[in-house]
């Protein structure tokens, strides 16, 4: 498992435990904020950022009867997440810190 995949899976687990997956806006903002901090610390490329969105929604899909197809995540969800400009930096930093601690 790659480092980015492991960190993103830890992000998912934290957000799930905090109830952040119950609201689409909270999910997208939390994930975008995490990726913003992740990118700053891990020097991720655009492709790696997109891969992190895919990793996150792979975990999310495990709880669905019909998993989200990767092409849908890459073509629809990833652009929505990666084009957000109003990050919650403290939230992203705390999710990143917990992801690192549990990696």
């Amino acid at each position: 498992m790659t480092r980015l995949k492991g960190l993103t899976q830890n992000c998912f687990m934290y957000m799930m435990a905090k109830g952040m997956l119950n609201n689409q806006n909270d999910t997208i903002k939390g994930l975008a904020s995490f990726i913003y901090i992740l990118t700053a610390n891990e020097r991720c490329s655009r492709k790696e950022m997109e891969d992190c969105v895919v990793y996150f929604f792979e975990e999310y899909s495990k709880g669905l009867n019909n998993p989200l197809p990767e092409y849908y995540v890459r073509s629809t969800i990833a652009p929505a997440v990666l084009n957000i400009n109003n990050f919650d930096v403290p939230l992203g930093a705390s999710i990143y810190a917990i992801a690192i601690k549990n990696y």
Side-chain angles (χ1 to χ4, degrees), residues 3 7 9 12 17 20 23-24 28 32 34 37 41-42 44 55 69-71 73 78 80 85 91-92 100:
R3 177 176 172 83
L7 293 174
Q9 288 173 333
F12 173 83
M20 296 176 69
N23 176 296
Q24 180 179 338
I28 298 300
F34 166 75
I37 299 298
N41 286 283
E42 306 285 331
C44 300
Y55 302 147
E70 183 177 333
Y71 73 85
V73 173
N85 292 322
L91 174 63
I100 286 285

Side-chain angles (χ1 to χ4, degrees), residues 11 13 15 18 21 27 39 42-43 55 59-61 65 67 70-71 73-76 78 84 97:
C11 165
M13 296 304 289
M15 289 177 61
K18 291 294 185 179
L21 305 181
T27 302
T39 298
E42 306 285 331
R43 303 186 193 278
Y55 302 147
E59 291 299 310
Y60 183 87
S61 286
N65 289 333
E70 183 177 333
Y71 73 85
V73 173
R74 287 191 188 276
S75 66
T76 305
I84 288 181

